[in-house]
């Protein structure tokens, strides 16, 4: 699944050629730039992705427009709805932070093109509370007033080792229950069929003397 989400990924350095790959007939390519890195990347969107119950957990923002699909492999696929009709949409600003003991720490800042509707956050860490906020960017002349608030979603990942421990404990617990049931049935069978019945005590003969 992760390989499918990372398919058709292409990055170009800002000092070199900047020509984007030719868009497909149905879905355009999604250009994005991680702030602090001197390159622009393009990736194919994943509009048909569906969060399966066994391998994924979906977390929605308060407004429901932003969805974080938390995958079991440690990746998070963000999906969002179009911001609505209106001219001047230039793209989106995505900010990521995680909660520490006393403060929040930034983890990523990404600028995405106007055609982007999803973004993959790879290698998220377990036992960390993440907050991802998406803010539409408009041209100054067509920016809505008041400016639209950012959609934010918060989630945390279970440690990969903890998932394995839970699965192993569940399997071991089920095996122990099955073994106990078998032992109880075997004891009942031996008691009823194989052990000789206890000797019956005869009543003492009456004294005729």
């Amino acid at each position: 699944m992760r390989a499918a989400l990372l398919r058709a990924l292409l990055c170009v350095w800002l000092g070199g050629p900047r020509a984007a790959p030719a868009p497909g007939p149905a879905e355009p390519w999604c250009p994005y730039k991680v702030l602090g890195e001197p390159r622009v990347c393009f990736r194919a969107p994943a509009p048909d992705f569906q969060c399966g119950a066994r391998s994924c957990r979906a977390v929605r923002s308060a407004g429901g427009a932003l969805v974080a699909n938390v995958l079991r492999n440690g990746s998070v696929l963000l999906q969002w709805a179009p911001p609505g009709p209106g001219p001047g949409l230039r793209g989106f600003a995505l900010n990521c932070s995680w909660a520490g003991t006393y403060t929040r720490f930034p983890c990523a800042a990404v600028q995405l093109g106007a055609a982007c509707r999803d973004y993959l956050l790879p290698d998220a860490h377990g036992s960390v509370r993440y907050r991802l906020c998406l803010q539409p960017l408009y041209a100054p002349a067509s920016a809505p007033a008041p400016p639209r608030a950012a959609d934010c979603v918060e989630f945390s990942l279970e440690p990969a080792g903890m998932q394995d421990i839970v699965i192993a404990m569940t399997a071991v617990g089920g095996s122990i229950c099955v073994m106990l049931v078998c032992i109880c049935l075997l004891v009942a069978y031996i008691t009823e069929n194989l052990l000789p019945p206890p000797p019956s005590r005869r009543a003492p003969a009456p004294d005729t003397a």
Side-chain angles (χ1 to χ4, degrees):
M1 179 181 295
R2 185 174 179 180
L5 295 176
L6 290 172
R7 69 185 186 280
L9 180 65
L10 175 65
C11 298
V12 294
W13 298 95
L14 293 181
R18 303 184 184 181
E27 298 292 340
W29 285 76
C30 169
Y32 69 93
K33 181 181 185 298
V34 179
L35 298 184
E37 296 185 3
R39 60 178 182 174
V40 175
C41 296
F42 301 85
R43 64 178 298 268
D48 299 329
F49 175 82
Q50 295 182 356
C51 187
R54 295 186 176 181
S55 60
C56 177
R57 176 172 55 92
V59 181
R60 294 183 176 274
S61 61
L66 181 63
V67 181
N69 301 291
V70 183
L71 306 176
R72 290 190 59 186
N73 61 5
S75 301
V76 180
L77 178 66
L78 296 174
Q79 294 178 311
W80 57 89
L89 180 64
R90 301 179 59 182
F92 302 91
L94 178 65
N95 291 304
C96 170
S97 62
W98 58 276
T101 304
Y102 301 104
T103 184
R104 302 196 66 88
F105 299 93
C107 53
V110 186
Q111 290 185 349
L112 302 107
C116 299
R117 295 295 179 266
D118 55 49
Y119 179 75
L120 182 67
L121 179 67
D123 301 330
H125 300 285
S127 301
V128 175
R129 186 74 177 176
Y130 284 92
R131 177 191 294 169
L132 297 173
C133 295
L134 185 73
Q135 175 73 52
L137 301 177
Y138 292 90
S142 57
R148 179 177 173 179
D151 288 322
C152 297
V153 60
E154 294 189 8
F155 60 90
S156 59
L157 282 75
E158 295 182 1
M162 183 62 65
Q163 294 179 358
D164 297 337
I165 292 174
V166 171
I167 294 174
M169 291 180 63
T170 302
V172 172
S175 302
I176 293 176
C177 291
V178 172
M179 291 177 60
L180 290 177
V181 171
C182 293
I183 291 173
C184 292
L185 293 176
L186 181 60
V187 171
Y189 177 80
I190 293 175
T191 304
E192 293 293 334
N193 298 281
L194 300 182
L195 292 180
S200 59
R201 295 183 179 179
R202 296 182 179 180
D207 189 5
T208 57

